[in-house]
Amino acid sequence: MEIFLAYPDEFYLPCFVAQEISAKSDEAFQKVIELINSGNIVVKEIQLSFLADSLNMRLGKGESEAIALGIELKTDYIILISLSFTSGHSFE
């Protein structure tokens, strides 16, 4: 995680994903809150909701909003992490 955050890039998190993470008060939630509070991650509302809704027919809402936000901001990368997959794994 530290290597990842050492890059001079900006990192964004869709509002829905932030809400999804905050529903669980676990280690992942605590780490994300720290990153948001430190300014390493910026929480943004998506504007391309029609795209997210369309993607949501096949993907989860969080993944759909992440992709829509990435397209909207013309990002170089979109990182999708399933917290159910990383459960039990460290974010360090």
Side-chain angles (χ1 to χ4, degrees):
M1 181 65 96
E2 299 305 318
I3 293 171
F4 178 70
L5 293 173
Y7 285 90
D9 300 315
E10 295 175 331
F11 299 95
Y12 300 99
L13 188 67
C15 287
F16 179 80
V17 175
Q19 293 168 359
E20 210 173 31
I21 292 169
S22 69
K24 303 175 186 176
S25 189
D26 58 8
E27 182 183 348
F29 167 75
Q30 295 300 322
K31 187 64 177 176
V32 170
I33 290 299
E34 287 175 25
L35 294 169
I36 290 169
N37 290 339
S38 68
N40 287 310
I41 293 179
V42 177
V43 177
K44 290 195 69 94
E45 187 73 41
I46 64 164
Q47 302 301 310
L48 296 176
S49 55
F50 67 91
L51 175 58
D53 291 344
S54 178
L55 290 168
N56 193 238
M57 292 179 180
R58 294 192 177 251
L59 301 171
K61 187 167 174 64
E63 291 85 357
S64 300
E65 287 203 6
I67 293 168
L69 183 62
I71 290 170
E72 178 182 322
L73 299 175
K74 297 181 176 144
T75 60
D76 292 327
Y77 304 98
I78 300 171
I79 300 170
L80 303 175
I81 299 173
S82 171
L83 291 179
S84 61
F85 172 75
T86 59
S87 179
H89 294 72
S90 174
F91 282 94
E92 314 276 346

